[in-house]
Amino acid sequence: AKLTADIELAGFDWTPLKYLYAAFDGQGHVIHNLYINSSSYPVGLFGYVKTGASVTQLGVTGDVTCTAKSNAQAGGIAGYMESDTSITECFSTVTSKKHAGGIAGYVANDAVISDCYATGNIATLSANECYLGGICASGYSNTVGATLTNCYFTGTVTGSGGTASYVGGVSCNKTEASYTNCYYLAGTVSGESSKYGVTGKGTAKTADELKAL
């Protein structure tokens, strides 16, 4: 499928397109003012990006909140990326909460996010366990997640501060090999676990350093 024009969603309460099974090409267009506040999961422009599917050249702005008590997954573009999926050349200025990231929420191993950026605010509604990253969260633990290449984040990530608060400027995945040329704005990650600290990798940069990249 291809998007042929920008879309304005102001005033609409969006219901996620539950499954994406194939390629979606945004052709450089932007979906403005995406708004979701739902107890269902996963939430984003797309709920599940299914194995073999992809999203490219799409921008999304808005506010995405998942209030589910368990398995809450929220992202600007995808709530849940299965393995062997990809999101490339996309951006998001979405504010997401819960198991959340600017581009994607839950991300399985062998998912790929490349050449993307996000500028929103990522936070949790949980009193303790959360998985948060500027670009994406992680899988079922902070050792599982997408492969990220050429991505950056300039918003804020705010964890719960509990012992199971896993956070990172790009992703909360602690596997160094998952990151290539990934950066985030220094001083924007907080609410990390006192036991584990900031688990995510990527490189912190000042605003001037990011502009020079």
Side-chain angles (χ1 to χ4, degrees):
K2 293 183 178 181
L3 189 63
T4 59
D6 291 357
I7 296 177
E8 176 58 67
L9 292 177
F12 293 93
D13 193 344
W14 180 256
T15 298
L17 299 169
K18 191 169 184 180
Y19 300 112
L20 178 67
Y21 288 100
F24 184 91
D25 185 353
Q27 298 194 117
H29 292 295
V30 180
I31 296 175
H32 297 278
N33 296 305
L34 175 74
Y35 178 78
I36 303 169
N37 191 328
S38 175
S39 60
S40 298
Y41 63 87
V43 296
L45 178 67
F46 301 102
Y48 292 92
V49 176
K50 302 292 286 183
T51 295
S54 64
V55 182
T56 188
Q57 293 191 326
L58 177 66
V60 176
T61 74
D63 191 340
V64 178
T65 300
C66 183
T67 59
K69 292 183 178 180
S70 63
N71 297 322
Q73 300 134 354
I77 291 175
Y80 191 118
M81 289 181 71
E82 294 187 352
S83 59
D84 298 315
T85 59
S86 67
I87 297 177
T88 59
E89 298 181 74
C90 293
F91 76 85
S92 167
T93 59
V94 164
T95 296
S96 297
K97 290 184 170 64
K98 278 285 194 180
H99 193 135
I103 298 293
Y106 185 102
V107 286
N109 273 346
D110 298 320
V112 173
I113 301 175
S114 62
D115 302 300
C116 292
Y117 73 88
T119 63
N121 302 311
I122 313 301
T124 183
L125 301 175
S126 171
N128 184 21
E129 186 178 21
C130 59
Y131 299 84
L132 309 176
I135 297 295
C136 64
S138 65
Y140 58 82
S141 78
N142 69 318
T143 61
V144 173
T147 298
L148 297 119
T149 304
N150 301 333
C151 294
Y152 71 90
F153 176 68
T154 60
T156 62
V157 176
T158 308
S160 68
T163 56
S165 177
Y166 304 107
V167 296
V170 178
S171 169
C172 55
N173 181 1
K174 70 177 185 179
T175 306
E176 188 77 51
S178 296
Y179 303 80
T180 302
N181 297 331
C182 289
Y183 308 97
Y184 63 96
L185 185 61
T188 57
V189 179
S190 62
E192 67 271 24
S193 165
S194 58
K195 183 176 181 179
Y196 300 108
V198 175
T199 58
K201 304 301 180 182
T203 304
K205 297 279 189 180
T206 66
D208 287 341
E209 287 173 332
L210 285 174
K211 291 176 184 177
L213 291 174

